[in-house]
Amino acid sequence: MSIVLVVNSGSSSMKYRLIDMRDETVLASGLIERIGEYRGLVRHDGPNGRHELARRIVDHEAAFEAMIRGFNEHGPSLDDYPPVAVGHRVVQGARRFLAPTVVDDSVERDIEDLIPLAPLHNGANLEGIRGARRAFPDLPHVTVFDTSFHTSMSDAASLYALDRPTAERYRIRRYGAHGSSHKFVSAEAARFLGKPLEDLKIIVLHIGNGASACAVRGGVSIETSMGLTPLEGLVMGTRTGDIDPAVLFHLHRQAGYSVDDLDELLNKKSGLAGLTGSNDMRDVEARARKGDALALTALEIYAHRIRHYIGAYHAQLGGADAVVWTAGVGENSPDARARAMRGLEFLGMKLDPELNDQRVKEPTRISAADSAIDILVVPTNEELEIARQTLQATGIPADA
Ligand code: AMP
């Protein structure tokens, strides 16, 4: 049985999913929160529904013990459904990791070496890998990097116009993120359209709490909106996206903001949260419907930026065959889609209002019959993409 355990470790949380790759069904999933705090939360969704309990989880190794307890107590038993490999999400692989990689000690050291490029993420990802290798010492562990899909970007798309020795010394360039999602969604879109991915130019809009756009030509990323870190680009739940860097100098000089203050301001207190007080698109839309002017302005800023990137990527791709919406907002908010695509009919992108208003759970066309470019909603599945790449890296067939 080709069963893969997918793990996504954050600094204080860990998500997991057990997937049977013969038919790509999810056997169980779970979430462990507040690792290292006095009271942690363990949630396991198995064959008998959801089980939750509060207990102290001191570190990532303890999180894996809690996960294994979840499988033992609530099923399915890992003896009956033994994983053949563990796939780990890692945010930053820089130019070192071009593809999913089977973990050994030197891979761990290289991920550690990349921590300065992703201080909020890589250290936590590594803790998860170390905990998992101790919990499952006999299994192959595979790292799947958010950045690998974007290593195909040209220097023109990925270098900043920064002093070259400084940029090289500190490895500053645009690495992008959400790679597993952009890869998965562009392949699904090609399958839905019944055309070879190699022949298609696709603009993928991954719009969730984090958000990024990607220009995909022939299945390859040629440009994406996130940069050195996931802060650049679109307006997000709590992040500014694009901003004149001189705003930082200004706040430092005029208001005494420290580097940490600025980091917190731009990453945690901005975006929809900064503009309206809520990072949740559902709240912002509900307030806008009641006529709240601040919420309406926030939605317009959010849409304006998405429209900006659609236009840019249409130009970089030299036209497009499809625009594909995905992630929490992209899959669920007809209003966000309609607002961002308003006025793009001249490019051949025309929504069908009724199709756009549907609730969808699978790939769906939402463009008008006379739209030159297909507009689709395609639910993303990063965990499944990580599981597929994990098997690929180990060479284990999905139908073993
Ligand atoms: P993600 O990060 O992909 O899980 O997306 C999370 C975001 O999706 C949430 O913060 C919500 O703002 C947004 N979202 C989820 N469901 C809806 C919905 N029905 N309408 C509008 N936004 C939604």
Side-chain angles (χ1 to χ4, degrees):
M1 277 189 281
S2 288
I3 291 171
V4 174
L5 177 66
V6 176
V7 176
N8 185 349
S9 303
S11 55
S12 65
S13 70
M14 188 187 97
K15 288 187 216 152
Y16 59 87
R17 197 172 281 191
L18 190 70
I19 305 177
D20 185 339
M21 295 305 288
R22 289 171 302 180
D23 54 3
E24 299 188 333
T25 52
V26 176
L27 300 171
S29 61
L31 169 68
I32 296 165
E33 283 182 307
R34 290 185 231 127
I35 299 171
E37 289 180 29
Y38 177 68
R39 207 179 159 85
L41 178 82
V42 181
R43 178 197 293 165
H44 183 87
D45 288 297
N48 308 314
R50 173 161 294 181
H51 304 269
E52 279 183 328
L53 89 155
R55 72 152 23 112
R56 181 137 198 245
I57 307 289
V58 290
D59 57 16
H60 284 79
E61 194 171 351
F64 278 96
E65 283 161 16
M67 178 194 79
I68 290 170
R69 207 173 302 128
F71 280 108
N72 287 341
E73 289 173 10
H74 307 297
S77 154
L78 292 179
D79 293 331
D80 297 338
Y81 294 92
V84 293
V86 184
H88 297 267
R89 175 184 183 212
V90 180
V91 167
Q92 180 57 273
R95 291 281 159 140
R96 160 72 182 81
F97 293 104
L98 308 183
T101 305
V102 178
V103 181
D104 58 19
D105 292 347
S106 89
V107 167
E108 274 194 13
R109 276 195 299 277
D110 286 351
I111 294 171
E112 190 162 21
D113 177 53
L114 295 172
I115 289 176
L117 287 175
L120 300 179
H121 297 106
N122 266 39
N125 299 155
L126 191 57
E127 287 295 310
I129 293 167
R130 289 184 170 141
R133 286 182 83 195
R134 280 193 283 268
F136 300 98
D138 301 326
L139 293 183
H141 292 257
V142 175
T143 46
V144 179
F145 299 87
D146 270 18
T147 48
S148 295
F149 184 56
H150 305 298
T151 53
S152 47
M153 282 192 327
S154 66
D155 280 353
S158 59
L159 292 183
Y160 293 106
L162 195 62
D163 168 65
R164 202 141 186 168
T166 306
E168 279 173 8
R169 176 154 182 213
Y170 295 102
R171 297 179 287 189
I172 297 170
R173 61 157 65 221
R174 310 187 57 253
Y175 295 108
H178 289 147
S180 297
S181 179
H182 290 301
K183 185 173 196 297
F184 178 85
V185 164
S186 44
E188 283 288 294
R191 191 155 58 178
F192 175 81
L193 293 170
K195 294 181 183 159
L197 182 58
E198 296 69 36
D199 296 347
L200 293 175
K201 298 174 190 168
I202 303 177
I203 299 170
V204 181
L205 302 166
H206 176 116
I207 315 292
N209 200 30
S212 69
C214 186
V216 183
R217 182 191 287 138
V220 169
S221 168
I222 65 155
E223 169 113 56
T224 193
S225 59
M226 284 177 168
L228 174 75
T229 76
L231 181 56
E232 194 178 331
L234 300 169
V235 177
M236 309 187 210
T238 63
R239 296 176 222 153
T240 51
D242 295 334
I243 189 168
D244 181 345
V247 170
L248 310 188
F249 317 147
H250 182 76
L251 282 171
H252 174 67
R253 291 187 185 123
Q254 302 299 317
Y257 276 60
S258 69
V259 172
D260 287 343
D261 295 338
L262 292 168
D263 194 334
E264 169 141 336
L265 178 71
L266 267 65
N267 271 304
K268 305 248 173 77
K269 293 186 176 167
S270 297
L272 287 179
L275 291 166
T276 69
S278 171
N279 71 324
D280 193 314
M281 181 55 96
R282 285 164 290 205
D283 293 343
V284 182
E285 288 182 350
R287 278 164 48 184
R289 277 194 294 273
K290 288 190 199 137
D292 179 328
L294 276 182
L296 257 172
T297 306
L299 294 180
E300 286 299 328
I301 298 169
Y302 194 89
H304 185 95
R305 191 81 59 84
I306 297 173
R307 197 179 308 124
H308 172 91
Y309 275 94
I310 294 174
Y313 290 176
H314 186 264
Q316 297 292 6
L317 286 165
D321 298 295
V323 175
V324 186
W325 289 83
T326 194
V329 176
E331 290 169 32
N332 297 301
S333 172
D335 181 77
R337 296 191 296 249
R339 216 179 273 274
M341 302 210 72
R342 198 177 54 213
L344 294 181
E345 293 79 9
F346 81 100
L347 282 179
M349 300 175 188
K350 187 172 169 194
L351 278 178
D352 178 309
E354 270 176 35
L355 295 179
N356 183 44
D357 270 345
Q358 299 174 95
R359 290 253 160 260
V360 303
K361 291 259 168 279
E362 52 197 37
T364 305
R365 185 183 274 105
I366 57 169
S367 42
D370 60 347
S371 181
I373 296 173
D374 286 308
I375 309 169
L376 311 179
V377 175
V378 174
T380 192
N381 194 337
E382 289 166 284
E383 290 80 8
L384 180 55
E385 181 61 38
I386 291 170
R388 285 179 184 168
Q389 294 193 34
T390 297
L391 277 192
Q392 212 182 324
T394 54
I396 302 169
D399 55 1

